Amino acid sequence: MAGLQSKPRVRHAAATLDSGFPFSQFGGKSTVTLTVSGAKSRRWLLGEPDFRRLWLIGLVVFSVRWLEMLAVAVFAYQRTGSPLVVALLTVLRMLPMALFGALIGAAAERIERRTALVLVMALMLLCSLVLTLLAWSHALEVWHLALASFISGLTWTTDNPVRRTMIGEVVGPERMSAAMSIDVGANNASRMLGPTVGGILLATLGIGGAFTVSVTGYLVAVIVALRVRHRNTAMSSTPAGVLERMIEGLVLVRRDPRLSGTMIITVIYNTFGWPFTSMIPVIGQDNLGLGPAGIGLLASMDGIGAFCGAITIALCAKPPHFARIFVGGVTIYLLMLPVFAQAPGPVFAGAVLLLTGLANSAFSIMQATLVYLAAPPEMRGRVFGVLSVCIGVGMIGFLHLGWLAGVLGTTWAIMTIGAEGLVALLLTRRWWRAIGP
């Protein structure tokens, strides 16, 4: 197994789960059996102080990110009345992933990750503080939000090669699926909390109140990051070394059918699936007649479904099913887009978003888990960097959706990208079917 060379079977007390899950490395294949008790694994995870700290950082940052994305979208749409501008602001959050994801992933292997984590949290705190001051002084403009979105995207690009790689190092490969279920569960819980709080703050205190909460959240994240004890050995870094490592990561992904298949599905989801979330405020205001608080509540339905999905996967998912859960989640997600676009009322729209949330959790958990398990330990940062690029490519989808919304209207635009995503899945089956049995 790439990333897990032949090791003795790990045995823990209680009922065990055996699964031969083959992974390939540069075209070669080997098989490892991971044997672990799911319930006991989760208890051990919660008993790991550094896992709890890294999980809490993720929960806080995710919550603030979803709050900010909703607040920025509503503010920009009210100022400009343009769905394209709303989509462009999300594109700017993803642009750094596409431009710098592979480079940052390679560089992350050459630095001490805990130090990088503290610096990233501090940068996010500073950016949010500036926006808060601008908002309360009534000087905030859309271009300020555009610049802040790009900076936020830079910090977002580090999450997989820094924080999530640290999680894997802390918990070990045999507990990575459970750890990712808990971490993605935090992300999904934040999608319940962030939009709801953001909507209420916008309706009561305006965007200044939303960014004030952001500052508080990032301050908590900085304090917790300073308490993380885990350290990795930082390697000396040179520009040539980083570039060489980035190329090695790209070559590995191209040669390993499991990694390349996972990346293809990631590109499809982020190009044709996820962009529709940027149009939820538009659908909520124009089609469903909701105000900021109602839009926030509607957007949180996706997070509720995803949180429930994460719990279910943490309790029930078995390694032989990982690939099917991954691909199936994307398929269901795309099927739900036309249904949401035609929703006759807020309750029906919320029910559909619950289903998209369930599907999203299947995709998100298995994405990080499959990549971590398939990549060799010494190359995980590089491979996660390539994953960030594949996520960042989704900015094309946001531009595409924004353009379609301007030409066809938001409803038909969402229906169109859902259909395009399903066609893309069919056309690329020969490459992604190697992900699983």
Side-chain angles (χ1 to χ4, degrees), residues 59-81:
L59 174 63
V60 171
V61 172
F62 291 148
S63 297
V64 172
R65 180 176 297 144
W66 290 113
L67 182 155
E68 288 181 342
M69 288 180 71
L70 178 81
V72 165
V74 172
F75 180 86
Y77 190 60
Q78 289 177 343
R79 280 290 183 94
T80 67

Side-chain angles (χ1 to χ4, degrees), residues 374-387:
E378 70 279 4
M379 296 184 70
R380 282 177 181 143
R382 277 165 278 184
V383 175
F384 270 122
V386 177
L387 178 64

Side-chain angles (χ1 to χ4, degrees), residues 42 181 305-317 325 358 361 365:
R42 281 179 290 277
S181 294
F307 180 70
C308 294
I311 293 175
T312 302
I313 291 172
L315 294 174
C316 304
I325 293 171
L358 287 167
S361 66
I365 293 169

Side-chain angles (χ1 to χ4, degrees), residues 7-12 16-18 33-36 44 174:
K7 292 182 180 179
R9 178 177 298 178
V10 180
R11 290 193 179 276
H12 302 309
T16 59
L17 165 64
D18 288 350
T33 300
L34 296 180
T35 308
V36 64
W44 288 341
E174 69 278 4

Side-chain angles (χ1 to χ4, degrees), residues 336-356:
M336 289 298 103
L337 299 196
V339 181
F340 173 77
Q342 295 285 352
V347 174
F348 186 88
V352 175
L353 289 179
L354 285 173
L355 292 177
T356 63

Side-chain angles (χ1 to χ4, degrees), residues 61-145:
V61 172
F62 291 148
S63 297
V64 172
R65 180 176 297 144
W66 290 113
L67 182 155
E68 288 181 342
M69 288 180 71
L70 178 81
V72 165
V74 172
F75 180 86
Y77 190 60
Q78 289 177 343
R79 280 290 183 94
T80 67
S82 171
L84 180 58
V85 170
V86 174
L88 284 173
L89 288 172
T90 306
V91 167
L92 287 171
R93 287 182 182 266
M94 302 184 70
L95 183 60
M97 292 189 183
L99 294 179
F100 310 120
L103 185 63
I104 289 175
E109 296 181 347
R110 311 297 294 267
I111 61 176
E112 201 286 297
R113 276 186 275 272
R114 184 262 192 183
T115 300
L117 182 66
V118 172
L119 291 175
V120 167
M121 295 301 107
L123 176 60
M124 297 167 81
L125 172 62
L126 178 61
C127 182
S128 190
L129 180 60
V130 171
L131 290 177
T132 302
L133 295 174
L134 288 171
W136 283 117
S137 62
H138 304 289
L140 186 66
E141 300 291 343
V142 173
W143 74 266
H144 294 139
L145 299 177

Side-chain angles (χ1 to χ4, degrees), residues 68-389:
E68 288 181 342
M69 288 180 71
L70 178 81
V72 165
V74 172
F75 180 86
Y77 190 60
Q78 289 177 343
R79 280 290 183 94
T80 67
S82 171
L84 180 58
V85 170
V86 174
L88 284 173
L89 288 172
T90 306
V91 167
L92 287 171
R93 287 182 182 266
M94 302 184 70
L95 183 60
M97 292 189 183
L99 294 179
F100 310 120
L103 185 63
I104 289 175
E109 296 181 347
R110 311 297 294 267
I111 61 176
E112 201 286 297
R113 276 186 275 272
R114 184 262 192 183
T115 300
L117 182 66
V118 172
L119 291 175
V120 167
M121 295 301 107
L123 176 60
M124 297 167 81
L125 172 62
L126 178 61
C127 182
S128 190
L129 180 60
V130 171
L131 290 177
T132 302
L133 295 174
L134 288 171
W136 283 117
S137 62
H138 304 289
L140 186 66
E141 300 291 343
V142 173
W143 74 266
H144 294 139
L145 299 177
L147 178 60
S149 294
F150 185 81
I151 296 173
S152 177
L154 280 173
T155 61
W156 196 350
T157 303
T158 68
D159 190 59
N160 279 321
V162 176
R163 189 185 65 87
R164 280 187 166 169
T165 299
M166 290 176 71
I167 287 177
E169 292 169 347
V170 168
V171 305
E174 69 278 4
R175 297 186 290 171
M176 186 60 176
S177 174
M180 281 301 99
S181 294
I182 295 172
D183 190 58
V184 172
N187 185 352
N188 296 329
S190 72
R191 289 161 64 189
M192 296 184 283
L193 178 65
T196 302
V197 173
I200 293 172
L201 289 171
L202 281 172
T204 55
L205 299 176
I207 196 166
F211 282 125
T212 300
V213 173
S214 296
V215 169
T216 303
Y218 286 136
L219 181 60
V220 171
V222 169
I223 294 171
V224 176
L226 288 169
R227 297 189 62 193
V228 172
R229 298 176 182 174
H230 175 76
R231 303 288 191 278
N232 67 292
T233 303
M235 302 174 60
S236 60
S237 178
T238 63
V242 170
L243 180 61
E244 181 181 355
R245 284 171 170 268
M246 180 183 74
I247 294 172
E248 288 174 353
L250 292 169
V251 170
L252 172 61
V253 169
R254 182 178 64 85
R255 293 184 178 179
D256 189 314
R258 291 183 179 275
L259 285 172
S260 58
T262 302
M263 300 300 174
I264 287 171
I265 293 293
T266 296
V267 168
I268 290 173
Y269 172 83
N270 284 282
T271 302
F272 301 106
W274 188 43
F276 106 96
T277 59
S278 68
M279 294 293 116
I280 291 177
V282 179
I283 291 289
Q285 179 172 313
D286 291 354
N287 292 18
L288 305 176
L290 300 176
I295 292 172
L297 182 60
L298 177 66
S300 71
M301 293 298 103
D302 183 62
I304 293 173
F307 180 70
C308 294
I311 293 175
T312 302
I313 291 172
L315 294 174
C316 304
K318 305 292 190 296
H321 304 148
F322 284 177
R324 293 188 181 94
I325 293 171
F326 180 59
V327 178
V330 175
T331 303
I332 294 172
Y333 195 98
L334 293 170
L335 287 170
M336 289 298 103
L337 299 196
V339 181
F340 173 77
Q342 295 285 352
V347 174
F348 186 88
V352 175
L353 289 179
L354 285 173
L355 292 177
T356 63
L358 287 167
N360 172 266
S361 66
F363 164 79
S364 300
I365 293 169
M366 293 304 134
Q367 176 197 61
T369 301
L370 291 171
V371 170
Y372 186 89
L373 292 176
E378 70 279 4
M379 296 184 70
R380 282 177 181 143
R382 277 165 278 184
V383 175
F384 270 122
V386 177
L387 178 64
S388 293
V389 172

